Amino acid sequence: MGKSIEELLSRNFTTSYQDNKQLIQDILIDNTDLNIREFYFHEQKDIKIVCFFIDGLVNDTKIDTVIDSFIYQAPKLLRDLDVTTLYNNLPDRITKHILHSHALKLLTKVEEAIEAILSGDTLFIIDKCKETILVSTRGWSERSVSEPQTEQVVIGPRDGFTENIRTNTALVRRRIRDPLLSFKSTTVGKSSKTTINIAYHRGKVKEGLVEEVMERLDKIKIDAIIDSGYIGELIEDAPLSPFTTVQTTERPDKVAAAILEGRAAIFVDNSPFVIMVPTYFWQFLQASDDYYTRYMVGSFFRIIRYLAFIISLVFTSIYVMLVSFHQEMIPTSLALTIASGRDVIPFPVLLEALLMEISFELMREAGLRMPKPVGQAVSIVGSLVIGQSAVQAGLVSPFMVIVVATTGIASFAIPNYTASFAIRLVRFPLLIASGTLGLLGFSVVFTLLAIHALSLRSFGESYLAPASPFQPSDQKDTIIRVPWWKMNRLPNLAKGKKEERTNRNQKPHPPQKE
């Protein structure tokens, strides 16, 4: 070509039909999926037109409809115009009187035209016109709305986000039919030019939160954004922390609830996961079912999840600490049973626990990466066979198998998959400290983790709020969930926190008998 792509993209279209056509071909050279169709739409006036589109990204029916409009309707409109009048504002005249698409745009910049073509739109270049016509013809294949795979519920909506950003925003619009629900758009990625939308409620979002999100997105300089995970890692407050300070979800109902609480949601095109900020640690232990069942049932199972979190974090460490250093803290009968089970074990308790924990993680990862029908069988059969064989071979004790299995099962009870990663990571430092220094090591590492969690912020908000700092009004939906008729106010995060969420005196009661 002789000139760089950057130089060609910086140009504007001219009145030369051949130059404009060649310019697009030079930029999109060596693309077998680039379709070029050239035709006359007014043979008496000898007006040529060429269209460019990417096969597979467009709806062929839409393109055929536009071409039919050019060929059959344009001659009637332009029949009696002389040459000078004909080419004067011809693109504008075509868009107003001939084409009937709901999404039309006149472009003069080459860079905008190329970006639109690569996004699934169709570009029409008209002879002797420096303005080109862009028609929205996007129509690629996509996955339909289905039940989320990572956050399944027993009671509640079954629809989940897809890889289409407009489908995802529509799922939230269906739940919040409020004119104050707003979406801001930006583009990130030099090569991918990924569309990103920030959703928020103008009457409830925290002051400055949307501006902060936009500022962090504008600072991202990267070649491509393939998934929302890229965005989450590039905008979070503590990138070196094992705890994630942004929350992701596949569920539209969760996003709608977060927006109504004054938070912001970040939609990333080509990703079914939406990011919600700011994020609090306790939200990772809350499930959608909590709000769709009666408050006593939801609160009970939420407490079960908190118990599962504690078990998955410290159970193995406490067992190793007691057996290695503090046998006097174990009841005598239980201590004798544990000792009899460890008579033939050649390894210290710490090494035994590490071997079992790593084996469990290996089986979990293998079951996840293998094909779905085979993966479940491998993880279940592998756990049974390896555990039983290890006990019979004298490599691990029966108690260690029970402890590690209980810890692993407890980690599955955590609703948010990314939050379980953090627990699985910090479990190993706790385990090593407990196995080498006993209660002292466990206390030091646990204290350091607590201090670290207290120091974390998520878009200016304390990571452990409303527990730290303690906010009495927000305790209605932290460890337990009070009835809806008791949750009268919005969370302290929301701008309109003093606004009545529900009217007072809504407690149900039987009718009065006369």
Side-chain angles (χ1 to χ4, degrees), residues 307-347:
L307 180 62
F309 160 70
I310 296 172
I311 291 173
S312 63
L313 182 64
V314 303
F315 191 31
T316 307
S317 301
I318 290 177
Y319 173 78
V320 171
M321 175 188 70
L322 294 179
V323 174
S324 299
F325 294 94
H326 307 286
Q327 296 88 350
E328 70 280 359
M329 298 178 66
I330 307 174
T332 304
S333 57
L334 180 59
L336 292 174
T337 304
I338 295 174
S340 63
R342 298 203 72 257
D343 279 342
V344 296
I345 307 303
F347 308 117

Side-chain angles (χ1 to χ4, degrees), residues 235-270:
I235 67 171
E236 63 180 344
D237 292 63
L240 300 180
S241 172
F243 301 104
T244 176
T245 53
V246 296
Q247 185 182 7
T248 59
T249 183
E250 284 187 280
R251 300 191 59 84
D253 54 335
K254 267 194 173 183
V255 172
I259 292 173
L260 292 175
E261 289 176 352
R263 302 163 69 194
I266 304 172
F267 294 78
V268 181
D269 199 14
N270 300 316

Side-chain angles (χ1 to χ4, degrees), residues 359-379:
S359 298
F360 191 88
E361 294 295 336
L362 284 173
M363 286 184 286
R364 174 152 48 179
E365 190 67 15
L368 180 65
R369 302 303 168 193
M370 293 185 70
K372 190 173 182 179
V374 182
Q376 294 179 351
V378 168
S379 59

Side-chain angles (χ1 to χ4, degrees), residues 356 359-360 363-364 376-390 401 405 412:
M356 285 299 299
S359 298
F360 191 88
M363 286 184 286
R364 174 152 48 179
Q376 294 179 351
V378 168
S379 59
I380 296 173
V381 175
S383 302
L384 294 174
V385 172
I386 292 177
Q388 183 65 25
S389 301
V401 174
F412 290 134

Side-chain angles (χ1 to χ4, degrees), residues 280-309:
Y280 307 112
F281 171 77
W282 319 107
Q283 291 170 338
F284 293 116
L285 300 175
Q286 298 172 0
S288 299
D289 305 63
D290 299 348
Y291 302 95
Y292 306 142
T293 56
R294 298 180 72 244
Y295 70 95
M296 287 184 288
V297 177
S299 299
F300 173 75
F301 286 109
R302 185 177 290 184
I303 293 172
I304 292 293
R305 276 183 238 113
Y306 277 96
L307 180 62
F309 160 70

